[in-house]
Amino acid sequence: MRILASNDDGIHARGMRILVGCLTALGDVFIVAPDRQRSATGLSITMHRPLRVKKVKIPGFKVTGWAVDGTPADCIKLAIEDLLEGPPDLVVSGINLGPNLGNDILYSGTVSAAIEGAINGFPALAVSLASYSSEDYSGASIFLKNFLPVLAKGGLRPGTLLNINVPATERPCGVKITRLGSRRYVNIFEKRVDPRGRLYYWLAGEPVEPEDGAVETDVEAVKNNYISITPLQLDLTDYKAFDWLKHLTEAEKLL
Ligand code: MN
């Protein structure tokens, strides 16, 4: 099995090394990741300057690593097109430090690296540690080592895209298959004055507790200390609105 691994926290992130440790028993691992922290870059790609690639050693591992001065999506594209010796059987992004839940996945570099894999027709996983403060990857590591062979045995279909969030604890309460919840933030921007008297804004914000009744969501699962696995699809079409718009416009003269 040929596995492509990436991490939007950068190739030297601890979560990257922990992920590689979970993958090596499964097959040949190739790391292609940004050379620095590139979180919250979404599915952004680099078009207006060249990309530089540097071969790097990951301490403690024999795997091949390339550091790219681009985004997570750039890394996956480059890996598939040129760096790997053949198409990957699986793309894994993570383990990200910080949750990727609900609509936040649209900003996420971690999830976007997996999306880029799925766009190219490969099975892909995004794995995140649902904490910024604790760096306890033990539960995530145990889970991945058990889950990946199960997934491989079950037959990974092209384009399968899973978003996984693991509580930062050695013993999560269990595993839940979830749908995307919604995440809203309060106090989104901090407004400050710099030493030269000029105003600046800094994006921060705290998530608002999910509304009651939102069951089976990723947000709810992680809040209750469960591992959340959300199967994603790339089709953003609103099919209800599709029918409604068709019906609405059918008999109208619009041109
Ligand atoms: Mn990140």
Side-chain angles (χ1 to χ4, degrees):
M1 203 167 171
R2 189 181 293 122
I3 307 166
L4 169 59
S6 196
N7 189 313
D8 78 340
D9 298 335
I11 197 158
H12 300 293
R14 193 165 154 239
M16 174 95 265
R17 290 198 301 277
I18 288 164
L19 175 67
V20 173
C22 299
L23 297 174
T24 43
L26 221 67
D28 297 328
V29 183
F30 300 85
I31 299 171
V32 185
D35 61 358
R36 67 200 79 173
Q37 171 56 258
R38 297 306 301 264
S39 291
T41 50
L43 200 54
S44 158
I45 49 172
T46 306
M47 291 180 70
H48 302 291
R49 63 168 177 85
L51 287 171
R52 304 283 175 184
V53 175
K54 204 174 149 191
K55 229 171 184 173
V56 293
K57 284 224 174 320
I58 308 295
F61 295 102
K62 281 187 190 147
V63 299
T64 315
W66 288 274
V68 182
D69 69 343
T71 64
D74 288 331
C75 292
I76 304 301
K77 273 189 190 298
L78 258 183
I80 291 167
E81 188 138 324
D82 195 69
L83 300 174
L84 296 200
E85 290 147 12
D89 298 296
L90 177 66
V91 177
V92 190
S93 170
I95 299 170
N96 186 61
L97 183 58
N100 278 302
L101 302 164
N103 29 324
D104 278 355
I105 66 158
L106 296 171
Y107 305 102
S108 165
T110 301
V111 179
S112 294
I115 288 175
E116 188 59 44
I119 287 173
N120 284 279
F122 304 110
L125 316 179
V127 188
S128 304
L129 191 70
S131 166
Y132 290 109
S133 48
S134 164
E135 286 202 40
D136 186 352
Y137 288 93
S138 57
S141 186
I142 294 165
F143 167 73
L144 277 182
K145 282 175 187 163
N146 291 323
F147 178 62
L148 289 168
V150 172
L151 206 57
K153 196 173 66 187
L156 284 160
R157 284 179 299 123
T160 298
L161 177 58
L162 303 182
N163 183 38
I164 303 172
N165 281 272
V166 185
T169 164
E170 199 185 335
R171 288 180 179 275
C173 294
V175 178
K176 290 213 163 155
I177 311 302
T178 58
R179 61 187 177 87
L180 286 180
S182 72
R183 266 204 139 187
R184 286 190 311 110
Y185 289 85
V186 284
N187 307 323
I188 296 175
F189 284 102
E190 285 229 11
K191 191 176 178 180
R192 299 181 190 171
V193 179
D194 77 10
R196 290 176 185 83
R198 289 172 304 203
L199 198 64
Y200 68 97
Y201 295 88
W202 200 325
L203 183 67
E206 303 140 35
V208 182
E209 282 290 294
E211 62 278 29
D212 285 338
V215 291
E216 291 194 315
T217 67
D218 52 355
V219 178
E220 188 217 21
V222 163
K223 192 179 138 210
N224 294 320
N225 230 19
Y226 281 82
I227 295 171
S228 161
I229 308 178
T230 312
L232 299 175
Q233 59 185 8
L234 300 178
D235 184 353
L236 295 178
T237 311
D238 178 341
Y239 287 96
K240 269 190 205 147
F242 178 92
D243 290 337
W244 164 71
L245 270 175
K246 254 184 120 170
H247 186 74
L248 186 76
T249 53
E250 188 162 71
E252 301 292 340
K253 189 172 159 35
L254 298 174
L255 284 174

PDB file of all heavy atoms in Angstrom, residues 7-10 37-40 95-98 100 108-110 128 132, ligand 1:
ATOM      1  N   ASN A   7       0.226  17.365   6.431  1.00  0.00           N
ATOM      2  CA  ASN A   7      -0.209  18.010   7.682  1.00  0.00           C
ATOM      3  C   ASN A   7      -0.094  19.522   7.505  1.00  0.00           C
ATOM      4  O   ASN A   7       0.990  20.020   7.200  1.00  0.00           O
ATOM      5  CB  ASN A   7       0.680  17.541   8.839  1.00  0.00           C
ATOM      6  CG  ASN A   7       0.158  17.986  10.190  1.00  0.00           C
ATOM      7  OD1 ASN A   7      -0.199  19.148  10.375  1.00  0.00           O
ATOM      8  ND2 ASN A   7       0.100  17.073  11.129  1.00  0.00           N
ATOM      9  N   ASP A   8      -1.195  20.232   7.689  1.00  0.00           N
ATOM     10  CA  ASP A   8      -1.166  21.681   7.431  1.00  0.00           C
ATOM     11  C   ASP A   8      -0.445  22.461   8.537  1.00  0.00           C
ATOM     12  O   ASP A   8      -0.224  23.657   8.409  1.00  0.00           O
ATOM     13  CB  ASP A   8      -2.572  22.238   7.173  1.00  0.00           C
ATOM     14  CG  ASP A   8      -3.389  22.444   8.440  1.00  0.00           C
ATOM     15  OD1 ASP A   8      -3.056  21.836   9.491  1.00  0.00           O
ATOM     16  OD2 ASP A   8      -4.372  23.210   8.376  1.00  0.00           O
ATOM     17  N   ASP A   9      -0.081  21.793   9.635  1.00  0.00           N
ATOM     18  CA  ASP A   9       0.704  22.456  10.680  1.00  0.00           C
ATOM     19  C   ASP A   9       2.194  22.466  10.313  1.00  0.00           C
ATOM     20  O   ASP A   9       3.022  22.945  11.080  1.00  0.00           O
ATOM     21  CB  ASP A   9       0.517  21.758  12.034  1.00  0.00           C
ATOM     22  CG  ASP A   9      -0.930  21.814  12.499  1.00  0.00           C
ATOM     23  OD1 ASP A   9      -1.650  22.741  12.083  1.00  0.00           O
ATOM     24  OD2 ASP A   9      -1.351  20.935  13.267  1.00  0.00           O
ATOM     25  N   GLY A  10       2.497  21.905   9.158  1.00  0.00           N
ATOM     26  CA  GLY A  10       3.883  21.898   8.679  1.00  0.00           C
ATOM     27  C   GLY A  10       4.530  20.539   8.846  1.00  0.00           C
ATOM     28  O   GLY A  10       4.158  19.752   9.725  1.00  0.00           O
ATOM     29  N   GLN A  37       3.834  26.337   9.107  1.00  0.00           N
ATOM     30  CA  GLN A  37       2.441  26.336   9.547  1.00  0.00           C
ATOM     31  C   GLN A  37       1.548  26.944   8.453  1.00  0.00           C
ATOM     32  O   GLN A  37       1.733  28.092   8.066  1.00  0.00           O
ATOM     33  CB  GLN A  37       2.376  27.160  10.843  1.00  0.00           C
ATOM     34  CG  GLN A  37       1.013  27.479  11.375  1.00  0.00           C
ATOM     35  CD  GLN A  37       0.140  26.279  11.632  1.00  0.00           C
ATOM     36  OE1 GLN A  37      -0.749  25.969  10.857  1.00  0.00           O
ATOM     37  NE2 GLN A  37       0.390  25.605  12.747  1.00  0.00           N
ATOM     38  N   ARG A  38       0.609  26.166   7.911  1.00  0.00           N
ATOM     39  CA  ARG A  38      -0.302  26.680   6.879  1.00  0.00           C
ATOM     40  C   ARG A  38      -1.749  26.331   7.228  1.00  0.00           C
ATOM     41  O   ARG A  38      -2.531  25.955   6.355  1.00  0.00           O
ATOM     42  CB  ARG A  38       0.065  26.114   5.501  1.00  0.00           C
ATOM     43  CG  ARG A  38       1.430  26.485   4.960  1.00  0.00           C
ATOM     44  CD  ARG A  38       1.707  27.978   4.926  1.00  0.00           C
ATOM     45  NE  ARG A  38       0.782  28.744   4.122  1.00  0.00           N
ATOM     46  CZ  ARG A  38       0.997  29.097   2.850  1.00  0.00           C
ATOM     47  NH1 ARG A  38       2.100  28.753   2.258  1.00  0.00           N
ATOM     48  NH2 ARG A  38       0.109  29.804   2.198  1.00  0.00           N
ATOM     49  N   SER A  39      -2.100  26.447   8.512  1.00  0.00           N
ATOM     50  CA  SER A  39      -3.472  26.169   8.926  1.00  0.00           C
ATOM     51  C   SER A  39      -4.417  27.230   8.378  1.00  0.00           C
ATOM     52  O   SER A  39      -3.997  28.362   8.113  1.00  0.00           O
ATOM     53  CB  SER A  39      -3.559  26.143  10.449  1.00  0.00           C
ATOM     54  OG  SER A  39      -2.889  25.024  10.954  1.00  0.00           O
ATOM     55  N   ALA A  40      -5.678  26.848   8.233  1.00  0.00           N
ATOM     56  CA  ALA A  40      -6.749  27.759   7.776  1.00  0.00           C
ATOM     57  C   ALA A  40      -6.481  28.365   6.406  1.00  0.00           C
ATOM     58  O   ALA A  40      -6.882  29.476   6.111  1.00  0.00           O
ATOM     59  CB  ALA A  40      -7.012  28.858   8.812  1.00  0.00           C
ATOM     60  N   ILE A  95      -1.822  14.435  12.001  1.00  0.00           N
ATOM     61  CA  ILE A  95      -2.944  14.702  12.901  1.00  0.00           C
ATOM     62  C   ILE A  95      -2.888  16.181  13.258  1.00  0.00           C
ATOM     63  O   ILE A  95      -1.883  16.644  13.808  1.00  0.00           O
ATOM     64  CB  ILE A  95      -2.837  13.826  14.173  1.00  0.00           C
ATOM     65  CG1 ILE A  95      -2.871  12.338  13.794  1.00  0.00           C
ATOM     66  CG2 ILE A  95      -3.979  14.138  15.125  1.00  0.00           C
ATOM     67  CD1 ILE A  95      -2.534  11.411  14.969  1.00  0.00           C
ATOM     68  N   ASN A  96      -3.956  16.898  12.919  1.00  0.00           N
ATOM     69  CA  ASN A  96      -3.961  18.338  13.157  1.00  0.00           C
ATOM     70  C   ASN A  96      -4.085  18.653  14.636  1.00  0.00           C
ATOM     71  O   ASN A  96      -4.794  17.967  15.364  1.00  0.00           O
ATOM     72  CB  ASN A  96      -5.142  18.965  12.415  1.00  0.00           C
ATOM     73  CG  ASN A  96      -5.128  20.465  12.505  1.00  0.00           C
ATOM     74  OD1 ASN A  96      -4.197  21.110  12.048  1.00  0.00           O
ATOM     75  ND2 ASN A  96      -6.151  21.046  13.125  1.00  0.00           N
ATOM     76  N   LEU A  97      -3.392  19.692  15.056  1.00  0.00           N
ATOM     77  CA  LEU A  97      -3.558  20.171  16.433  1.00  0.00           C
ATOM     78  C   LEU A  97      -4.710  21.176  16.428  1.00  0.00           C
ATOM     79  O   LEU A  97      -4.556  22.306  15.973  1.00  0.00           O
ATOM     80  CB  LEU A  97      -2.269  20.812  16.944  1.00  0.00           C
ATOM     81  CG  LEU A  97      -2.294  21.276  18.400  1.00  0.00           C
ATOM     82  CD1 LEU A  97      -2.604  20.131  19.356  1.00  0.00           C
ATOM     83  CD2 LEU A  97      -0.972  21.921  18.785  1.00  0.00           C
ATOM     84  N   GLY A  98      -5.872  20.736  16.896  1.00  0.00           N
ATOM     85  CA  GLY A  98      -7.078  21.570  16.900  1.00  0.00           C
ATOM     86  C   GLY A  98      -8.190  20.876  16.137  1.00  0.00           C
ATOM     87  O   GLY A  98      -7.933  20.141  15.185  1.00  0.00           O
ATOM     88  N   ASN A 100     -11.526  20.122  13.751  1.00  0.00           N
ATOM     89  CA  ASN A 100     -12.079  20.559  12.459  1.00  0.00           C
ATOM     90  C   ASN A 100     -13.498  20.033  12.373  1.00  0.00           C
ATOM     91  O   ASN A 100     -13.731  18.919  11.906  1.00  0.00           O
ATOM     92  CB  ASN A 100     -11.221  20.038  11.308  1.00  0.00           C
ATOM     93  CG  ASN A 100     -10.014  20.931  11.077  1.00  0.00           C
ATOM     94  OD1 ASN A 100     -10.164  22.124  10.829  1.00  0.00           O
ATOM     95  ND2 ASN A 100      -8.831  20.360  11.179  1.00  0.00           N
ATOM     96  N   SER A 108     -10.512  24.760   6.666  1.00  0.00           N
ATOM     97  CA  SER A 108      -9.444  23.908   7.169  1.00  0.00           C
ATOM     98  C   SER A 108      -8.435  23.464   6.107  1.00  0.00           C
ATOM     99  O   SER A 108      -8.803  22.918   5.059  1.00  0.00           O
ATOM    100  CB  SER A 108     -10.090  22.657   7.792  1.00  0.00           C
ATOM    101  OG  SER A 108      -9.122  21.657   7.975  1.00  0.00           O
ATOM    102  N   GLY A 109      -7.167  23.666   6.390  1.00  0.00           N
ATOM    103  CA  GLY A 109      -6.107  23.136   5.530  1.00  0.00           C
ATOM    104  C   GLY A 109      -6.016  21.627   5.660  1.00  0.00           C
ATOM    105  O   GLY A 109      -5.739  20.925   4.686  1.00  0.00           O
ATOM    106  N   THR A 110      -6.249  21.134   6.864  1.00  0.00           N
ATOM    107  CA  THR A 110      -6.203  19.686   7.120  1.00  0.00           C
ATOM    108  C   THR A 110      -7.240  18.955   6.270  1.00  0.00           C
ATOM    109  O   THR A 110      -6.919  17.999   5.561  1.00  0.00           O
ATOM    110  CB  THR A 110      -6.490  19.405   8.615  1.00  0.00           C
ATOM    111  OG1 THR A 110      -5.522  20.085   9.392  1.00  0.00           O
ATOM    112  CG2 THR A 110      -6.469  17.927   8.936  1.00  0.00           C
ATOM    113  N   SER A 128      -7.973  15.012  13.081  1.00  0.00           N
ATOM    114  CA  SER A 128      -7.677  16.167  13.933  1.00  0.00           C
ATOM    115  C   SER A 128      -7.807  15.808  15.401  1.00  0.00           C
ATOM    116  O   SER A 128      -8.677  15.028  15.786  1.00  0.00           O
ATOM    117  CB  SER A 128      -8.656  17.310  13.641  1.00  0.00           C
ATOM    118  OG  SER A 128      -8.619  17.654  12.275  1.00  0.00           O
ATOM    119  N   TYR A 132      -6.741  22.427  21.432  1.00  0.00           N
ATOM    120  CA  TYR A 132      -5.585  23.267  21.115  1.00  0.00           C
ATOM    121  C   TYR A 132      -4.583  23.243  22.271  1.00  0.00           C
ATOM    122  O   TYR A 132      -3.398  23.465  22.080  1.00  0.00           O
ATOM    123  CB  TYR A 132      -6.002  24.719  20.871  1.00  0.00           C
ATOM    124  CG  TYR A 132      -6.775  24.918  19.596  1.00  0.00           C
ATOM    125  CD1 TYR A 132      -8.130  25.216  19.630  1.00  0.00           C
ATOM    126  CD2 TYR A 132      -6.150  24.798  18.365  1.00  0.00           C
ATOM    127  CE1 TYR A 132      -8.838  25.403  18.453  1.00  0.00           C
ATOM    128  CE2 TYR A 132      -6.850  24.980  17.189  1.00  0.00           C
ATOM    129  CZ  TYR A 132      -8.202  25.284  17.239  1.00  0.00           C
ATOM    130  OH  TYR A 132      -8.893  25.460  16.085  1.00  0.00           O
TER     131      TYR A 132
HETATM  132 MN    MN B   1      -3.559  22.960  11.348  1.00  0.00          MN
END
